Amino acid sequence: MDQKPIDLYTVLGIDRAARPEEIEAAFAAWKARSGSSGPIDDEAWQRVRYAYEVLISPQRRKTYDSLVVETAGPALELDITMSAESIPLLDTPHILYALLTLRPRDDRPAISGDPRPLNLGLVIDRSTSMRGERLEKVTAAVGLLLDKLGPGDRLSLVSFSDRAEVVLPAATIDTAAASPDPETAAAWRDPRRRIEAIVASGGTEIYQGLQAGLAQVARPAAKGHISHLILLTDGHTYGDAADCLRLAEKMATRGVGITAFGLGADWNDAFLDALVASSGGQSHYIERPDDVLAHLESRLQGLGAIHARNLALAQSWPDSFTLRSAFKLAPSPQPLPSDSRPVPMGDLEGRSPMTVLLEFLVAPQSVAARFRLPFEVRFTAANGIAQLAERSARLVAGDVQAGDGQTPQAIIEAARWLNLYRMQDKAWEEAQLGKPDTAAARMRKLTDRYMETGDLRLARQAQLEAQQLAQQGAMSPEGRKVLKYGTRSLMRSDKS
């Protein structure tokens, strides 16, 4: 009969996050106990001594922790809630929802030691439209961000307009000023002076900034780091959007995530969503320059607490099932590219669960049948090991009587939020297609829906947009951002 492996932490009587001095103290207590209450039997003492020797050595402890985690099964638990278990026999397509919940397993041992260091690339817009308070607040926030990074983190800073400039070459924080590269060492001797010297001028070509930013993030000596690029812009890019999206896909294949911040109202939200989609990243709206620091700090906090990286949902559905849409509801609401294979879902930050709502279009079913719907999410665990979390749903196509099965409340709530988000998206689309009356009617309905949620600010904004559509035939760019990202915030607060 197989025996359960001995837990060396339990042998010493310490926590998995115990510091070296706590390990020393625990071992000393064992030795004192042996002297005061009589000798410990040889077998028990050998276990104590072995546990101490392994855990007091950083390298041996790291190896032991990795082996324990590797043999304990996937780091994430996957739960599936279906909107129905039966599919009606109809001559028309049928909509089916699946709610995926991924959470860290409570029964799985954690890896000791500090979080993996960051390899962070900041790419900031310095075009003419950033002149004044916007650029002042951004550069001040970046300067303060330097104090938030750990000594082992790497940082690079690129500014761009219609050309890019490397303000701070990629370097590890605690050794940057002593870099053997003269240019890097010179820049990092007084990084704040370099940041404050950024001057606004020129047009907006985001590709120039992304290309230079990726070159810095991809520089050698970043092995073992979490690589991420943060873009901050206040305008539309000119003529290079397709190049930007191709570059983002390239970055994703290299394991580089992207977060995109839009400052003010005059930037393309659809473009930023597409830009971050290939890595499962995040896009955010910064309404006021004063809010820049809070957004950057929040993003840095999330990146420093990554539990699993590069989650990706395989698309291996039966022929009758087509994934029509995918939307991450929590912890950071974001549309996901349902046409990608696999579907990138981003990183799981902290121990909060990730929930994703999938919408399937089921082909007409004329005869009874059984289906197995497999859900497979591949990811990289905190120890760098590739893992798989999987579940499957069993569905039956047949005669469905009225009242057969109740739609789970979790699905109803998720679909309610998704429909609210789609309503504001559809209103914008109708306005862009020259249908202001239709868009205004939809905005009036949205006003009521926002009132029902208790968010008076969004209700007022929807009402203002309905009036503007009726009078001027268009929505305001600011209103578009407030409603779109405000609805995402509502989703987030509902899940918190």
Side-chain angles (χ1 to χ4, degrees), residues 384-423:
I385 302 296
Q387 295 187 344
L388 170 69
E390 56 183 335
R391 280 289 180 92
S392 61
R394 304 283 179 175
L395 304 171
V396 177
D399 291 326
V400 179
Q401 302 298 321
D404 282 358
Q406 295 293 321
T407 302
Q409 188 63 30
I411 292 283
I412 294 174
E413 285 298 310
R416 182 170 69 91
W417 286 116
L418 180 60
N419 288 336
L420 183 65
Y421 183 81
R422 283 176 171 173
M423 280 183 71

Side-chain angles (χ1 to χ4, degrees), residues 329-331 333 355 409-410 412-418 420 453 486-496:
L329 297 169
T355 57
Q409 188 63 30
I412 294 174
E413 285 298 310
R416 182 170 69 91
W417 286 116
L418 180 60
L420 183 65
T453 70
T487 306
R488 290 187 188 180
S489 293
L490 271 179
M491 295 177 176
R492 185 185 301 114
S493 60
D494 179 68
K495 297 294 178 182
S496 60

Side-chain angles (χ1 to χ4, degrees), residues 142-318:
V142 172
L144 291 171
L145 206 65
L146 294 176
D147 297 327
K148 305 290 183 180
L149 294 168
D153 292 332
R154 286 171 60 86
L155 178 68
S156 58
L157 173 60
V158 168
S159 68
F160 73 93
S161 54
D162 44 23
R163 62 183 182 85
E165 176 188 357
V166 178
V167 180
L168 294 175
T172 304
I173 297 296
D174 61 346
T175 60
S179 170
D181 177 60
E183 183 179 344
T184 300
W188 279 93
R189 286 192 188 103
D190 192 352
R192 286 175 176 79
R193 183 180 63 82
R194 293 286 293 251
I195 295 169
E196 292 166 1
I198 298 173
V199 176
S201 66
T204 305
E205 294 184 23
I206 292 177
Y207 179 77
Q208 299 293 331
L210 288 180
Q211 187 178 44
L214 176 60
Q216 291 299 313
V217 171
R219 287 177 70 175
K223 187 177 180 181
H225 288 60
I226 293 173
S227 295
H228 201 87
L229 188 144
I230 295 178
L231 167 71
L232 195 151
T233 182
D234 75 337
H236 289 249
T237 193
Y238 294 104
D240 59 0
D243 291 334
C244 290
L245 297 180
R246 281 191 290 269
L247 184 58
E249 292 176 0
K250 179 180 178 181
M251 294 168 71
T253 63
R254 295 188 180 185
V256 180
I258 304 179
T259 295
F261 288 108
L263 175 58
D266 299 320
W267 47 275
N268 188 334
D269 53 285
F271 169 70
L272 290 195
D273 275 346
L275 189 69
V276 303
S278 55
S279 65
Q282 302 178 17
S283 67
H284 296 276
Y285 169 42
I286 303 179
E287 192 168 354
R288 303 174 306 158
D290 284 339
D291 298 332
V292 171
L293 179 59
H295 278 276
L296 289 178
E297 286 182 331
S298 176
R299 197 67 202 96
L300 192 63
Q301 183 178 8
L303 292 172
I306 289 179
H307 190 86
R309 294 213 67 205
N310 302 324
L311 279 69
L313 173 67
Q315 294 221 43
S316 51
W317 324 115

Side-chain angles (χ1 to χ4, degrees), residues 2 13 59 82 96 227 236 264 309 428 445 487:
D2 293 338
Q59 188 58 47
M82 303 298 300
L96 184 74
S227 295
H236 289 249
R309 294 213 67 205
W428 173 258
K445 291 180 182 178
T487 306

Side-chain angles (χ1 to χ4, degrees), residues 49-67:
R49 187 170 187 84
Y50 176 71
Y52 167 74
E53 290 174 350
V54 170
L55 299 182
I56 200 62
S57 165
Q59 188 58 47
R60 294 181 68 183
R61 182 181 183 182
K62 182 178 180 181
T63 301
Y64 170 74
D65 285 343
S66 296
L67 289 172

Side-chain angles (χ1 to χ4, degrees), residues 349-404:
E349 299 173 4
R351 299 191 68 82
S352 298
M354 176 187 291
T355 57
V356 176
L357 184 65
L358 306 179
E359 184 181 67
F360 291 94
L361 187 66
V362 184
Q365 303 295 313
S366 58
V367 297
R370 294 180 180 273
F371 297 97
R372 175 181 171 272
L373 205 57
F375 298 91
E376 301 175 350
V377 178
R378 300 188 181 276
F379 62 93
T380 302
N383 61 350
I385 302 296
Q387 295 187 344
L388 170 69
E390 56 183 335
R391 280 289 180 92
S392 61
R394 304 283 179 175
L395 304 171
V396 177
D399 291 326
V400 179
Q401 302 298 321
D404 282 358

